[in-house]
């Protein structure tokens, strides 16, 4: 069994994520390739595509959302993601059990005496042909069941029913209450049943080689060892430097690890950072503690393919200024390269503002 070192795994991940060279592909094809874009924060999917695609414009993604080619909803790990509408229709049923488990952990005590089937049926009836925000829906349902915790009502419905969150919610710089629409109505097609094997192959195409635990962390699915064993004859099997089995598609290319990787800015909650149980292909365990704090995953700077620091973007709208600050964990070998990529990022985020880039040392 071939052993893959961290540099090889790093370069494989960067290549498949289009972080070695920005891809000349459409936003639609990129979302399909990445399976689902983390979308807890509205702007994150835009950053995700900007740093991976050549010539990406914000309207490229917004148009996919308004055209219903891409939808946003609870998918992987029970958290907000964007995916192609076609993919949502089989992804959501596949992860539904995980979503219900997360709901039970968060609101099981508050809802222990509720008839959840009755709640789901009432919510579905209200949403048929309608788009309602989570607070609006919770208020209407509370009219039937007064005294119930409205927060628990809203989040429980989001878990019980397959809903998507129509635009303009989720588009660039647009906040506000989350709207609900029944997914099948919004997309205009029925759900499909699919086994986890399909998701495993899609994951490996974008993130492999990877272990069973890596896939479980990324997807939120559990007890997947048997699925990988069933797929084993059709996959390549490697091991990492610690002897952990890694799986990959049989025709997937492994780069040789030679050459430097370009500077890249990854948003908070980036797909790549959240794709592995063992993240040492991207960062040290010490740096992981600084990047992944509680439920937060902070925006990161990649230098030669590894996390080299954190970054923040602050806007002074009155002064018409956007300031990007990098806090580096170690001296930056090529500050000009970081400054150039930061300038490109600011041109994407704030083209009409004055730009400032500050490179500083991490102080904790």
């Amino acid at each position: 069994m071939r052993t893959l070192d961290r540099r090889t795994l790093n370069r494989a991940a960067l290549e498949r994520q289009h972080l070695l060279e920005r891809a000349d592909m459409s936003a639609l094809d990129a979302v399909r390739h990445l399976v689902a874009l983390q979308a807890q924060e509205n702007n994150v999917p835009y950053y995700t595509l900007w740093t991976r695609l050549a010539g990406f414009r914000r309207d490229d993604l917004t148009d996919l959302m308004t055209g219903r080619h891409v939808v946003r909803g609870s998918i992987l790990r029970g958290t907000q993601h964007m995916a192609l509408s076609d993919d949502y229709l089989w992804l959501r049923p596949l992860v539904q059990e995980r979503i219900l488990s997360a709901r039970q952990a968060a609101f099981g005590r508050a809802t222990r005496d509720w008839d959840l089937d009755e709640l789901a049926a009432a919510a579905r009836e209200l949403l048929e042909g309608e788009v309602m925000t989570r607070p609006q829906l919770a208020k209407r349902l509370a009219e039937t069941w007064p005294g119930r915790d409205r927060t628990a009502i809203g989040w429980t419905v989001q878990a019980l029913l397959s809903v998507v969150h129509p635009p303009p919610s989720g588009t660039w710089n647009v906040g506000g209450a989350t709207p609900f629409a029944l997914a099948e109505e919004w997309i205009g097609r029925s759900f499909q049943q699919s086994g986890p094997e399909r998701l495993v192959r899609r994951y490996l195409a974008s993130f492999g080689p990877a272990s069973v635990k890596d896939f479980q962390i990324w997807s939120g699915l559990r007890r997947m060892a048997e699925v990988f064993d069933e797929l084993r004859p059709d996959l390549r099997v490697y091991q990492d430097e610690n002897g952990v089995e890694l799986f990959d598609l049989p025709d997937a290319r492994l780069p040789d690890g030679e050459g430097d990787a370009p500077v890249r800015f990854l948003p908070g909650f980036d797909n790549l950072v959240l794709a592995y149980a063992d993240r040492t292909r991207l960062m040290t365990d010490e740096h992981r503690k600084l990047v992944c704090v509680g439920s937060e995953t902070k925006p990161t700077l990649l230098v030669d393919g590894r996390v080299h620091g954190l970054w923040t973007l602050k806007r002074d709208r009155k002064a018409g200024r956007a300031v990007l600050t990098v806090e580096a964990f170690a001296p930056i070998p090529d500050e000009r390269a970081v400054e150039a990529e930061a300038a490109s990022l600011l041109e994407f985020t704030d083209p009409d503002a004055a730009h400032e880039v500050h490179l500083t040392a991490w102080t904790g």
Side-chain angles (χ1 to χ4, degrees):
M1 187 182 296
R2 179 181 171 186
T3 298
L4 303 180
D5 61 26
R6 288 194 182 112
R7 187 173 179 86
T8 299
L9 293 173
N10 174 270
R11 292 304 191 258
L14 295 178
E15 183 173 88
R16 297 183 199 189
Q17 289 285 304
H18 304 306
L19 292 169
L20 286 179
E21 182 178 357
R22 283 186 167 93
D24 185 16
M25 68 166 53
S26 68
L28 182 74
D29 288 340
V31 176
R32 178 185 293 112
H33 174 69
L34 296 170
V35 186
L37 312 184
Q38 226 289 346
Q40 277 179 257
E41 297 181 1
N42 289 5
N43 290 355
V44 163
Y46 292 86
Y47 286 119
T48 298
L49 294 179
W50 172 83
T51 203
R52 289 166 167 84
L53 300 182
F56 173 73
R57 302 174 302 112
R58 296 202 297 264
D59 284 348
D60 294 340
L61 180 56
T62 302
D63 289 348
L64 291 177
M65 296 173 66
T66 56
R68 307 193 187 192
H69 303 292
V70 166
V71 293
R72 185 169 67 104
S74 299
I75 317 176
L76 303 179
R77 303 183 301 279
T79 59
Q80 295 295 302
H81 281 75
M82 281 186 188
L84 296 192
S85 298
D86 288 344
D87 285 336
Y88 179 92
L89 291 173
W90 63 268
L91 277 172
R92 175 65 190 234
L94 183 62
V95 301
Q96 180 63 18
E97 183 179 343
R98 175 67 178 86
I99 292 172
L100 293 176
S101 295
R103 188 217 70 86
Q104 182 65 23
F107 297 103
R109 180 174 296 180
T111 64
R112 62 182 178 273
D113 297 326
W114 297 8
D115 185 327
L116 299 183
D117 291 337
E118 185 180 8
L119 177 65
R124 179 178 293 279
E125 184 176 355
L126 288 172
L127 286 172
E128 286 178 350
E130 301 287 342
V131 174
M132 304 175 68
T133 66
R134 187 188 292 116
Q136 288 171 338
L137 181 60
K139 181 180 178 181
R140 291 288 303 277
L141 291 168
E143 293 172 0
T144 303
W145 294 287
R148 291 188 177 183
D149 184 326
R150 291 187 183 182
T151 299
I153 290 176
W155 284 98
T156 295
V157 168
Q158 184 170 328
L160 296 175
L161 298 183
S162 295
V163 295
V164 294
H165 311 308
S169 176
T171 59
W172 182 261
N173 279 347
V174 175
T178 302
F180 286 8
L182 295 172
E184 288 178 295
E185 284 191 351
W186 181 260
I187 297 172
R189 295 188 296 283
S190 299
F191 285 106
Q192 307 164 10
Q193 295 301 315
S194 181
E197 299 83 4
R198 183 178 185 180
L199 187 57
V200 168
R201 291 189 177 95
R202 290 283 296 275
Y203 168 75
L204 293 176
S206 297
F207 299 96
S211 70
V212 175
K213 286 186 177 180
D214 291 334
F215 173 76
Q216 292 178 161
I217 286 290
W218 172 81
S219 67
L221 299 177
R222 299 172 181 172
R223 298 181 291 278
M224 289 290 108
E226 184 175 332
V227 174
F228 275 80
D229 280 339
E230 291 176 356
L231 289 171
R232 185 182 295 270
D234 299 323
L235 299 176
R236 285 186 179 176
V237 183
Y238 305 100
Q239 65 180 6
D240 67 13
E241 294 171 316
N242 296 318
V244 175
E245 274 194 326
L246 303 175
F247 297 85
D248 205 3
L249 299 179
D251 57 349
R253 197 183 90 86
L254 284 181
D256 57 18
E258 298 299 323
D260 295 333
V263 169
R264 290 289 184 259
F265 285 87
L266 301 184
F269 303 101
D270 189 82
N271 292 40
L272 181 61
V273 177
L274 294 172
Y276 307 102
D278 180 357
R279 298 175 190 174
T280 55
R281 73 181 70 189
L282 295 170
M283 68 187 88
T284 65
D285 289 334
E286 291 74 18
H287 290 163
R288 178 174 178 167
K289 295 174 184 177
L290 304 176
V291 172
C292 306
V293 182
S295 61
E296 181 183 10
T297 302
K298 297 182 179 181
T300 54
L301 169 71
L302 298 186
V303 174
D304 195 25
R306 294 185 62 79
V307 171
H308 203 86
L310 307 177
W311 63 273
T312 55
L313 175 59
K314 295 184 178 180
R315 298 175 175 90
D316 185 338
R317 300 195 184 280
K318 290 184 178 180
R321 184 171 66 246
V323 180
L324 193 155
T325 301
V326 173
E327 296 178 281
F329 296 146
I332 297 173
D334 186 350
E335 291 190 356
R336 288 187 178 182
V338 174
E339 290 169 346
E341 186 71 0
S344 296
L345 176 55
L346 288 169
E347 187 60 33
F348 170 75
T349 62
D350 296 89
D352 299 323
H355 300 160
E356 294 181 18
V357 177
H358 299 156
L359 306 184
T360 64
W362 168 260
T363 60

